[in-house]
Short mmCIF file of all heavy atoms in Angstrom, two decimals:
data_model
loop_
_atom_site.label_atom_id
_atom_site.label_comp_id
_atom_site.label_asym_id
_atom_site.label_seq_id
_atom_site.Cartn_x
_atom_site.Cartn_y
_atom_site.Cartn_z
N MET A 1 -16.07 -2.81 -6.11
CA MET A 1 -15.40 -3.56 -5.08
C MET A 1 -14.99 -2.59 -3.97
O MET A 1 -14.40 -1.54 -4.25
CB MET A 1 -14.19 -4.25 -5.70
CG MET A 1 -13.31 -4.95 -4.72
SD MET A 1 -11.97 -5.79 -5.57
CE MET A 1 -12.21 -7.40 -4.91
N PRO A 2 -15.26 -2.91 -2.72
CA PRO A 2 -14.90 -2.00 -1.62
C PRO A 2 -13.38 -1.95 -1.43
O PRO A 2 -12.66 -2.89 -1.74
CB PRO A 2 -15.58 -2.62 -0.40
CG PRO A 2 -15.78 -4.05 -0.75
CD PRO A 2 -15.94 -4.10 -2.24
N ALA A 3 -12.92 -0.82 -0.91
CA ALA A 3 -11.49 -0.67 -0.62
C ALA A 3 -11.07 -1.71 0.40
O ALA A 3 -11.81 -2.04 1.32
CB ALA A 3 -11.23 0.73 -0.09
N ASN A 4 -9.86 -2.28 0.22
CA ASN A 4 -9.36 -3.25 1.19
C ASN A 4 -7.92 -2.90 1.55
O ASN A 4 -7.28 -2.08 0.90
CB ASN A 4 -9.48 -4.68 0.65
CG ASN A 4 -8.69 -4.88 -0.62
OD1 ASN A 4 -7.50 -4.63 -0.66
ND2 ASN A 4 -9.35 -5.33 -1.66
N ALA A 5 -7.43 -3.52 2.61
CA ALA A 5 -6.09 -3.23 3.11
C ALA A 5 -5.36 -4.53 3.42
O ALA A 5 -5.98 -5.57 3.65
CB ALA A 5 -6.18 -2.38 4.37
N GLN A 6 -4.04 -4.45 3.41
CA GLN A 6 -3.18 -5.58 3.79
C GLN A 6 -2.00 -5.03 4.57
O GLN A 6 -1.53 -3.92 4.30
CB GLN A 6 -2.60 -6.28 2.56
CG GLN A 6 -3.56 -7.09 1.76
CD GLN A 6 -2.84 -7.76 0.61
OE1 GLN A 6 -2.18 -7.10 -0.17
NE2 GLN A 6 -2.96 -9.07 0.53
N ALA A 7 -1.52 -5.82 5.51
CA ALA A 7 -0.27 -5.50 6.19
C ALA A 7 0.83 -6.26 5.47
O ALA A 7 0.74 -7.47 5.28
CB ALA A 7 -0.34 -5.92 7.65
N LEU A 8 1.85 -5.54 5.03
CA LEU A 8 2.96 -6.15 4.28
C LEU A 8 4.26 -5.95 5.04
O LEU A 8 4.39 -5.06 5.86
CB LEU A 8 3.08 -5.49 2.90
CG LEU A 8 1.84 -5.57 2.01
CD1 LEU A 8 2.04 -4.73 0.75
CD2 LEU A 8 1.54 -7.01 1.64
N GLY A 9 5.25 -6.75 4.71
CA GLY A 9 6.57 -6.63 5.31
C GLY A 9 7.37 -5.51 4.65
O GLY A 9 6.87 -4.77 3.81
N ASN A 10 8.63 -5.40 5.02
CA ASN A 10 9.49 -4.33 4.51
C ASN A 10 10.09 -4.61 3.14
O ASN A 10 10.45 -3.68 2.43
CB ASN A 10 10.64 -4.06 5.48
CG ASN A 10 10.17 -3.43 6.77
OD1 ASN A 10 9.13 -2.79 6.80
ND2 ASN A 10 10.92 -3.61 7.83
N TYR A 11 10.22 -5.88 2.76
CA TYR A 11 10.89 -6.24 1.51
C TYR A 11 10.10 -7.28 0.74
O TYR A 11 9.42 -8.11 1.33
CB TYR A 11 12.30 -6.80 1.79
CG TYR A 11 13.22 -5.75 2.36
CD1 TYR A 11 13.35 -5.61 3.72
CD2 TYR A 11 13.91 -4.90 1.52
CE1 TYR A 11 14.18 -4.63 4.25
CE2 TYR A 11 14.73 -3.92 2.03
CZ TYR A 11 14.86 -3.78 3.41
OH TYR A 11 15.66 -2.80 3.91
N SER A 12 10.23 -7.25 -0.59
CA SER A 12 9.64 -8.26 -1.46
C SER A 12 10.56 -9.49 -1.45
O SER A 12 11.76 -9.37 -1.70
CB SER A 12 9.51 -7.73 -2.89
OG SER A 12 9.24 -8.80 -3.78
N GLN A 13 10.03 -10.66 -1.18
CA GLN A 13 10.83 -11.87 -1.19
C GLN A 13 11.21 -12.28 -2.60
O GLN A 13 12.14 -13.05 -2.80
CB GLN A 13 10.08 -13.01 -0.50
CG GLN A 13 9.90 -12.79 0.98
CD GLN A 13 9.19 -13.93 1.65
OE1 GLN A 13 8.57 -14.77 1.00
NE2 GLN A 13 9.25 -13.97 2.96
N VAL A 14 10.52 -11.75 -3.60
CA VAL A 14 10.80 -12.10 -4.99
C VAL A 14 12.15 -11.54 -5.43
O VAL A 14 12.96 -12.25 -6.02
CB VAL A 14 9.69 -11.58 -5.93
CG1 VAL A 14 10.03 -11.82 -7.38
CG2 VAL A 14 8.36 -12.23 -5.56
N ASP A 15 12.42 -10.26 -5.12
CA ASP A 15 13.65 -9.64 -5.63
C ASP A 15 14.38 -8.77 -4.61
O ASP A 15 15.29 -8.02 -4.96
CB ASP A 15 13.37 -8.83 -6.89
CG ASP A 15 12.41 -7.68 -6.64
OD1 ASP A 15 12.05 -7.42 -5.47
OD2 ASP A 15 12.03 -7.02 -7.62
N CYS A 16 14.01 -8.85 -3.36
CA CYS A 16 14.64 -8.11 -2.26
C CYS A 16 14.50 -6.58 -2.38
O CYS A 16 15.21 -5.84 -1.70
CB CYS A 16 16.12 -8.48 -2.11
SG CYS A 16 16.35 -10.19 -1.63
N SER A 17 13.60 -6.10 -3.22
CA SER A 17 13.34 -4.66 -3.28
C SER A 17 12.47 -4.29 -2.08
O SER A 17 11.85 -5.14 -1.46
CB SER A 17 12.65 -4.28 -4.58
OG SER A 17 11.38 -4.90 -4.68
N THR A 18 12.45 -3.00 -1.75
CA THR A 18 11.57 -2.59 -0.66
C THR A 18 10.13 -2.80 -1.10
O THR A 18 9.81 -2.81 -2.29
CB THR A 18 11.77 -1.12 -0.27
OG1 THR A 18 11.31 -0.29 -1.34
CG2 THR A 18 13.23 -0.81 0.06
N THR A 19 9.25 -2.94 -0.15
CA THR A 19 7.84 -3.12 -0.46
C THR A 19 7.30 -1.93 -1.24
O THR A 19 6.52 -2.10 -2.19
CB THR A 19 7.03 -3.35 0.83
OG1 THR A 19 7.53 -4.53 1.47
CG2 THR A 19 5.56 -3.51 0.55
N PHE A 20 7.71 -0.72 -0.89
CA PHE A 20 7.24 0.46 -1.61
C PHE A 20 7.70 0.42 -3.07
O PHE A 20 6.94 0.72 -3.99
CB PHE A 20 7.73 1.75 -0.95
CG PHE A 20 7.11 2.02 0.41
CD1 PHE A 20 7.77 2.80 1.31
CD2 PHE A 20 5.89 1.50 0.77
CE1 PHE A 20 7.22 3.07 2.57
CE2 PHE A 20 5.32 1.76 2.01
CZ PHE A 20 5.99 2.55 2.92
N GLN A 21 8.95 0.03 -3.34
CA GLN A 21 9.44 -0.09 -4.71
C GLN A 21 8.66 -1.15 -5.48
O GLN A 21 8.27 -0.94 -6.62
CB GLN A 21 10.93 -0.44 -4.73
CG GLN A 21 11.83 0.65 -4.25
CD GLN A 21 13.26 0.17 -4.02
OE1 GLN A 21 13.50 -0.99 -3.72
NE2 GLN A 21 14.20 1.09 -4.15
N TRP A 22 8.42 -2.29 -4.83
CA TRP A 22 7.69 -3.39 -5.46
C TRP A 22 6.26 -2.96 -5.80
O TRP A 22 5.77 -3.23 -6.89
CB TRP A 22 7.69 -4.60 -4.52
CG TRP A 22 6.93 -5.77 -5.05
CD1 TRP A 22 7.34 -6.66 -5.98
CD2 TRP A 22 5.62 -6.16 -4.65
NE1 TRP A 22 6.36 -7.59 -6.20
CE2 TRP A 22 5.30 -7.31 -5.39
CE3 TRP A 22 4.70 -5.67 -3.74
CZ2 TRP A 22 4.08 -7.97 -5.25
CZ3 TRP A 22 3.49 -6.31 -3.61
CH2 TRP A 22 3.19 -7.46 -4.36
N LEU A 23 5.59 -2.27 -4.87
CA LEU A 23 4.23 -1.79 -5.12
C LEU A 23 4.20 -0.79 -6.27
O LEU A 23 3.27 -0.80 -7.09
CB LEU A 23 3.64 -1.16 -3.86
CG LEU A 23 3.20 -2.13 -2.77
CD1 LEU A 23 2.87 -1.38 -1.50
CD2 LEU A 23 2.03 -2.97 -3.23
N GLN A 24 5.19 0.09 -6.36
CA GLN A 24 5.22 1.07 -7.46
C GLN A 24 5.35 0.37 -8.81
O GLN A 24 4.77 0.81 -9.79
CB GLN A 24 6.37 2.06 -7.25
CG GLN A 24 6.07 3.03 -6.13
CD GLN A 24 7.24 3.95 -5.82
OE1 GLN A 24 8.40 3.57 -5.95
NE2 GLN A 24 6.94 5.15 -5.39
N ARG A 25 6.08 -0.73 -8.86
CA ARG A 25 6.26 -1.46 -10.12
C ARG A 25 5.08 -2.34 -10.48
O ARG A 25 4.82 -2.58 -11.66
CB ARG A 25 7.51 -2.34 -10.06
CG ARG A 25 8.80 -1.64 -10.16
CD ARG A 25 9.96 -2.61 -10.43
NE ARG A 25 9.90 -3.84 -9.67
CZ ARG A 25 10.44 -4.03 -8.47
NH1 ARG A 25 11.08 -3.05 -7.88
NH2 ARG A 25 10.34 -5.19 -7.86
N THR A 26 4.36 -2.86 -9.50
CA THR A 26 3.36 -3.90 -9.77
C THR A 26 1.90 -3.48 -9.60
O THR A 26 1.01 -4.25 -9.94
CB THR A 26 3.63 -5.13 -8.87
OG1 THR A 26 3.49 -4.74 -7.50
CG2 THR A 26 5.01 -5.70 -9.12
N SER A 27 1.64 -2.31 -9.08
CA SER A 27 0.26 -1.88 -8.83
C SER A 27 -0.43 -1.49 -10.13
O SER A 27 0.19 -0.94 -11.04
CB SER A 27 0.24 -0.70 -7.86
OG SER A 27 0.73 -1.11 -6.60
N PRO A 28 -1.74 -1.74 -10.23
CA PRO A 28 -2.49 -1.37 -11.43
C PRO A 28 -2.55 0.15 -11.61
O PRO A 28 -2.59 0.90 -10.64
CB PRO A 28 -3.88 -1.95 -11.20
CG PRO A 28 -3.98 -2.20 -9.74
CD PRO A 28 -2.59 -2.37 -9.22
N THR A 29 -2.55 0.57 -12.87
CA THR A 29 -2.58 2.01 -13.18
C THR A 29 -3.76 2.38 -14.06
O THR A 29 -3.79 3.47 -14.62
CB THR A 29 -1.26 2.42 -13.88
OG1 THR A 29 -1.10 1.62 -15.06
CG2 THR A 29 -0.05 2.23 -12.96
N GLU A 30 -4.74 1.49 -14.18
CA GLU A 30 -5.91 1.77 -15.00
C GLU A 30 -6.83 2.76 -14.30
O GLU A 30 -6.74 2.98 -13.10
CB GLU A 30 -6.68 0.47 -15.29
CG GLU A 30 -5.95 -0.49 -16.21
CD GLU A 30 -4.92 -1.33 -15.46
OE1 GLU A 30 -5.01 -1.46 -14.22
OE2 GLU A 30 -4.01 -1.86 -16.13
N ALA A 31 -7.74 3.33 -15.08
CA ALA A 31 -8.72 4.27 -14.53
C ALA A 31 -9.45 3.64 -13.35
O ALA A 31 -9.82 2.47 -13.38
CB ALA A 31 -9.72 4.67 -15.61
N GLY A 32 -9.62 4.41 -12.29
CA GLY A 32 -10.33 3.96 -11.11
C GLY A 32 -9.48 3.23 -10.08
O GLY A 32 -9.94 2.90 -9.00
N GLU A 33 -8.21 2.96 -10.42
CA GLU A 33 -7.33 2.23 -9.51
C GLU A 33 -6.54 3.18 -8.61
O GLU A 33 -6.15 4.27 -9.03
CB GLU A 33 -6.34 1.36 -10.29
CG GLU A 33 -6.97 0.28 -11.11
CD GLU A 33 -7.50 -0.87 -10.28
OE1 GLU A 33 -7.21 -0.94 -9.07
OE2 GLU A 33 -8.20 -1.72 -10.85
N CYS A 34 -6.30 2.76 -7.37
CA CYS A 34 -5.46 3.51 -6.43
C CYS A 34 -4.84 2.53 -5.44
O CYS A 34 -5.56 1.78 -4.78
CB CYS A 34 -6.27 4.55 -5.68
SG CYS A 34 -5.29 5.43 -4.44
N THR A 35 -3.54 2.53 -5.38
CA THR A 35 -2.81 1.75 -4.39
C THR A 35 -2.01 2.72 -3.55
O THR A 35 -1.23 3.50 -4.10
CB THR A 35 -1.86 0.73 -5.05
OG1 THR A 35 -2.62 -0.16 -5.87
CG2 THR A 35 -1.08 -0.06 -4.01
N GLU A 36 -2.22 2.71 -2.25
CA GLU A 36 -1.47 3.57 -1.34
C GLU A 36 -0.76 2.69 -0.32
O GLU A 36 -1.25 1.63 0.03
CB GLU A 36 -2.40 4.53 -0.59
CG GLU A 36 -3.08 5.53 -1.48
CD GLU A 36 -3.98 6.47 -0.72
OE1 GLU A 36 -4.53 6.07 0.34
OE2 GLU A 36 -4.15 7.59 -1.17
N ALA A 37 0.39 3.16 0.15
CA ALA A 37 1.13 2.44 1.18
C ALA A 37 1.70 3.43 2.18
O ALA A 37 2.05 4.56 1.82
CB ALA A 37 2.25 1.62 0.56
N ALA A 38 1.78 2.99 3.42
CA ALA A 38 2.30 3.83 4.50
C ALA A 38 2.90 2.92 5.56
O ALA A 38 2.60 1.73 5.63
CB ALA A 38 1.18 4.67 5.11
N TRP A 39 3.75 3.49 6.38
CA TRP A 39 4.31 2.75 7.50
C TRP A 39 3.23 2.51 8.55
O TRP A 39 2.46 3.41 8.87
CB TRP A 39 5.47 3.53 8.13
CG TRP A 39 6.63 3.71 7.23
CD1 TRP A 39 7.05 4.87 6.66
CD2 TRP A 39 7.53 2.70 6.76
NE1 TRP A 39 8.15 4.65 5.88
CE2 TRP A 39 8.46 3.32 5.92
CE3 TRP A 39 7.63 1.32 6.97
CZ2 TRP A 39 9.49 2.62 5.29
CZ3 TRP A 39 8.65 0.63 6.34
CH2 TRP A 39 9.56 1.28 5.52
N ALA A 40 3.19 1.30 9.10
CA ALA A 40 2.23 0.99 10.16
C ALA A 40 2.44 1.91 11.36
O ALA A 40 1.48 2.35 11.99
CB ALA A 40 2.37 -0.47 10.58
N SER A 41 3.70 2.24 11.65
CA SER A 41 3.99 3.11 12.80
C SER A 41 3.44 4.52 12.62
O SER A 41 3.23 5.24 13.59
CB SER A 41 5.49 3.17 13.06
OG SER A 41 6.18 3.66 11.91
N ASP A 42 3.19 4.93 11.37
CA ASP A 42 2.61 6.25 11.10
C ASP A 42 1.08 6.21 11.13
O ASP A 42 0.44 7.25 10.97
CB ASP A 42 3.06 6.77 9.73
CG ASP A 42 4.49 7.22 9.70
OD1 ASP A 42 5.07 7.46 10.78
OD2 ASP A 42 5.05 7.34 8.59
N ASN A 43 0.51 5.04 11.29
CA ASN A 43 -0.94 4.86 11.28
C ASN A 43 -1.39 4.01 12.46
O ASN A 43 -2.01 2.96 12.29
CB ASN A 43 -1.38 4.21 9.95
CG ASN A 43 -1.17 5.12 8.78
OD1 ASN A 43 -2.05 5.91 8.45
ND2 ASN A 43 -0.01 5.06 8.15
N PRO A 44 -1.08 4.44 13.70
CA PRO A 44 -1.43 3.63 14.87
C PRO A 44 -2.95 3.40 14.95
O PRO A 44 -3.74 4.29 14.66
CB PRO A 44 -0.93 4.45 16.05
CG PRO A 44 -0.79 5.84 15.54
CD PRO A 44 -0.51 5.73 14.08
N GLY A 45 -3.31 2.17 15.30
CA GLY A 45 -4.72 1.84 15.44
C GLY A 45 -5.43 1.52 14.13
O GLY A 45 -6.62 1.23 14.14
N TYR A 46 -4.71 1.57 13.01
CA TYR A 46 -5.34 1.29 11.71
C TYR A 46 -5.81 -0.17 11.68
O TYR A 46 -5.08 -1.09 12.02
CB TYR A 46 -4.36 1.54 10.57
CG TYR A 46 -5.00 1.43 9.21
CD1 TYR A 46 -5.65 2.52 8.66
CD2 TYR A 46 -4.97 0.25 8.51
CE1 TYR A 46 -6.26 2.43 7.42
CE2 TYR A 46 -5.58 0.15 7.27
CZ TYR A 46 -6.22 1.24 6.73
OH TYR A 46 -6.84 1.14 5.51
N ASN A 47 -7.04 -0.39 11.25
CA ASN A 47 -7.63 -1.73 11.21
C ASN A 47 -7.56 -2.26 9.77
O ASN A 47 -8.35 -1.86 8.93
CB ASN A 47 -9.08 -1.68 11.70
CG ASN A 47 -9.76 -3.03 11.68
OD1 ASN A 47 -9.17 -4.04 11.31
ND2 ASN A 47 -11.01 -3.05 12.09
N VAL A 48 -6.63 -3.18 9.51
CA VAL A 48 -6.49 -3.72 8.15
C VAL A 48 -7.63 -4.66 7.78
O VAL A 48 -7.79 -5.01 6.61
CB VAL A 48 -5.14 -4.44 7.94
CG1 VAL A 48 -3.98 -3.49 8.07
CG2 VAL A 48 -5.00 -5.63 8.85
N ASP A 49 -8.44 -5.06 8.76
CA ASP A 49 -9.56 -5.98 8.49
C ASP A 49 -10.87 -5.26 8.21
O ASP A 49 -11.86 -5.91 7.86
CB ASP A 49 -9.74 -6.93 9.68
CG ASP A 49 -8.53 -7.83 9.87
OD1 ASP A 49 -7.97 -8.30 8.86
OD2 ASP A 49 -8.12 -8.02 11.02
N ALA A 50 -10.91 -3.95 8.35
CA ALA A 50 -12.15 -3.20 8.11
C ALA A 50 -12.50 -3.20 6.62
O ALA A 50 -11.64 -3.11 5.76
CB ALA A 50 -11.99 -1.77 8.60
N VAL A 51 -13.79 -3.36 6.33
CA VAL A 51 -14.28 -3.30 4.94
C VAL A 51 -15.47 -2.37 4.92
O VAL A 51 -16.43 -2.60 5.65
CB VAL A 51 -14.69 -4.70 4.42
CG1 VAL A 51 -15.27 -4.60 3.02
CG2 VAL A 51 -13.51 -5.65 4.46
N PRO A 52 -15.42 -1.29 4.15
CA PRO A 52 -14.28 -0.88 3.34
C PRO A 52 -13.14 -0.34 4.21
O PRO A 52 -13.37 0.13 5.33
CB PRO A 52 -14.84 0.22 2.45
CG PRO A 52 -15.97 0.80 3.23
CD PRO A 52 -16.54 -0.35 4.05
N ALA A 53 -11.94 -0.43 3.68
CA ALA A 53 -10.76 0.04 4.41
C ALA A 53 -10.78 1.56 4.52
O ALA A 53 -11.18 2.26 3.59
CB ALA A 53 -9.50 -0.40 3.69
N ALA A 54 -10.34 2.06 5.67
CA ALA A 54 -10.21 3.51 5.85
C ALA A 54 -9.00 4.01 5.07
O ALA A 54 -8.07 3.24 4.79
CB ALA A 54 -10.04 3.82 7.33
N ARG A 55 -9.02 5.28 4.69
CA ARG A 55 -7.86 5.87 4.02
C ARG A 55 -6.69 5.93 4.99
O ARG A 55 -6.87 6.12 6.19
CB ARG A 55 -8.17 7.28 3.52
CG ARG A 55 -9.22 7.39 2.44
CD ARG A 55 -8.86 6.71 1.13
NE ARG A 55 -7.70 7.25 0.46
CZ ARG A 55 -7.73 8.10 -0.56
NH1 ARG A 55 -8.87 8.53 -1.02
NH2 ARG A 55 -6.61 8.51 -1.11
N LEU A 56 -5.50 5.75 4.47
CA LEU A 56 -4.29 5.84 5.28
C LEU A 56 -3.95 7.29 5.58
O LEU A 56 -4.27 8.19 4.81
CB LEU A 56 -3.11 5.22 4.53
CG LEU A 56 -3.16 3.72 4.34
CD1 LEU A 56 -2.15 3.31 3.26
CD2 LEU A 56 -2.88 3.02 5.64
N LYS A 57 -3.26 7.50 6.71
CA LYS A 57 -2.70 8.80 7.02
C LYS A 57 -1.21 8.71 6.73
O LYS A 57 -0.64 7.62 6.74
CB LYS A 57 -2.92 9.13 8.49
CG LYS A 57 -4.40 9.27 8.83
CD LYS A 57 -4.61 9.52 10.29
CE LYS A 57 -6.10 9.69 10.50
NZ LYS A 57 -6.57 9.14 11.73
N LYS A 58 -0.56 9.81 6.45
CA LYS A 58 0.88 9.84 6.19
C LYS A 58 1.27 8.82 5.12
O LYS A 58 2.16 7.99 5.30
CB LYS A 58 1.66 9.61 7.47
CG LYS A 58 1.42 10.69 8.50
CD LYS A 58 2.32 10.53 9.69
CE LYS A 58 2.02 11.62 10.71
NZ LYS A 58 2.84 11.50 11.90
N VAL A 59 0.62 8.87 3.96
CA VAL A 59 0.89 7.97 2.84
C VAL A 59 2.32 8.21 2.36
O VAL A 59 2.74 9.34 2.15
CB VAL A 59 -0.12 8.21 1.71
CG1 VAL A 59 0.23 7.45 0.46
CG2 VAL A 59 -1.52 7.86 2.18
N GLN A 60 3.07 7.11 2.16
CA GLN A 60 4.44 7.18 1.67
C GLN A 60 4.52 7.08 0.16
O GLN A 60 5.43 7.63 -0.45
CB GLN A 60 5.28 6.07 2.29
CG GLN A 60 5.43 6.18 3.78
CD GLN A 60 6.20 7.41 4.19
OE1 GLN A 60 7.25 7.70 3.64
NE2 GLN A 60 5.66 8.16 5.12
N MET A 61 3.60 6.35 -0.46
CA MET A 61 3.58 6.22 -1.92
C MET A 61 2.15 5.94 -2.37
O MET A 61 1.37 5.36 -1.65
CB MET A 61 4.54 5.14 -2.44
CG MET A 61 4.40 3.76 -1.87
SD MET A 61 3.39 2.45 -2.66
CE MET A 61 2.97 2.92 -4.24
N ALA A 62 1.85 6.43 -3.57
CA ALA A 62 0.53 6.21 -4.17
C ALA A 62 0.71 5.96 -5.66
O ALA A 62 1.52 6.61 -6.31
CB ALA A 62 -0.37 7.42 -3.94
N VAL A 63 -0.04 4.99 -6.19
CA VAL A 63 0.01 4.65 -7.60
C VAL A 63 -1.41 4.55 -8.12
O VAL A 63 -2.26 3.93 -7.48
CB VAL A 63 0.73 3.29 -7.83
CG1 VAL A 63 0.70 2.89 -9.29
CG2 VAL A 63 2.15 3.34 -7.31
N GLY A 64 -1.67 5.13 -9.26
CA GLY A 64 -2.99 5.03 -9.89
C GLY A 64 -3.69 6.37 -9.96
O GLY A 64 -3.51 7.23 -9.10
N PRO A 65 -4.51 6.54 -10.99
CA PRO A 65 -5.17 7.82 -11.22
C PRO A 65 -6.26 8.16 -10.22
O PRO A 65 -6.66 9.31 -10.10
CB PRO A 65 -5.74 7.67 -12.63
CG PRO A 65 -5.89 6.21 -12.84
CD PRO A 65 -4.80 5.57 -12.05
N ALA A 66 -6.76 7.19 -9.45
CA ALA A 66 -7.85 7.47 -8.52
C ALA A 66 -7.34 7.86 -7.12
O ALA A 66 -8.13 8.04 -6.21
CB ALA A 66 -8.76 6.25 -8.41
N CYS A 67 -6.04 8.01 -6.98
CA CYS A 67 -5.48 8.38 -5.66
C CYS A 67 -5.64 9.87 -5.40
O CYS A 67 -5.60 10.68 -6.25
CB CYS A 67 -4.01 8.02 -5.60
SG CYS A 67 -3.70 6.24 -5.63
#
């Protein structure tokens, strides 16, 4: 499956945790998985609709062994 991207808000509506905290708790950790997140302001011009998605710059958090 090609890498994909999403633009997310600052907080999880489920439990009011920050998006980074929520991603750290809920992202897959199996072999081959990688979830990265960064501030949009640190990645100007990033195209979330590109397939495959480009790697983020200034990553704030990463989960998974393939990161």
